[in-house]
């Protein structure tokens, strides 16, 4: 669930993942964050678990207003990977 992207601010996206074998919500694992705006890759500011959610955060450049941001949050746990992607227009 990404927030609404606004130029010059921080965009945060969260992902809650559950195990298919036990139904337990994951509280750990490797978090991989990717995002691009206007074809330029953004470096993640936050890339970690917060409680039961994998959290990623990126600083959106002020010059990005009106451009598309594309990103994804991935959790890798015990060799398995789940990814959720998003696309939005920067306001």
């Amino acid at each position: 669930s990404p927030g609404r992207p606004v130029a010059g601010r921080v965009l945060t996206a969260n992902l809650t993942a559950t195990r298919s074998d036990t139904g337990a919500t994951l509280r750990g694992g490797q978090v991989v964050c990717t995002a691009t705006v206007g074809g330029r890759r953004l470096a993640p500011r936050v890339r970690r678990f917060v409680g039961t959610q994998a959290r990623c955060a990126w600083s959106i450049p002020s010059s990005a207003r009106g451009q598309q941001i594309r990103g994804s949050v991935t959790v890798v746990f015990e060799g398995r990977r789940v990814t959720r992607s998003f696309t939005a227009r920067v306001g």
Side-chain angles (χ1 to χ4, degrees):
S1 60
R4 183 175 180 274
V6 178
R9 303 192 90 188
V10 175
L11 171 66
T12 302
N14 300 309
L15 172 67
T16 302
T18 57
R19 291 181 59 130
S20 60
D21 57 348
T22 64
T25 303
L26 294 180
R27 300 180 70 81
Q30 180 184 5
V31 180
V32 180
C33 307
T34 60
T36 59
V37 65
R40 293 174 298 170
R41 188 182 259 312
L42 299 178
R45 291 181 56 176
V46 174
R47 188 186 75 213
R48 62 186 165 96
F49 265 89
V50 177
T52 60
Q53 293 185 328
R55 180 166 295 166
C56 297
W58 303 268
S59 293
I60 301 176
S62 299
S63 61
R65 179 170 281 128
Q67 296 180 17
Q68 286 279 93
I69 185 167
R70 290 185 165 89
S72 66
V73 179
T74 301
V75 175
V76 180
F77 182 78
E78 293 184 355
R80 306 277 185 198
R81 172 183 298 255
V82 63
T83 300
R84 181 67 181 215
S85 299
F86 62 90
T87 302
R89 181 140 331 258
V90 177

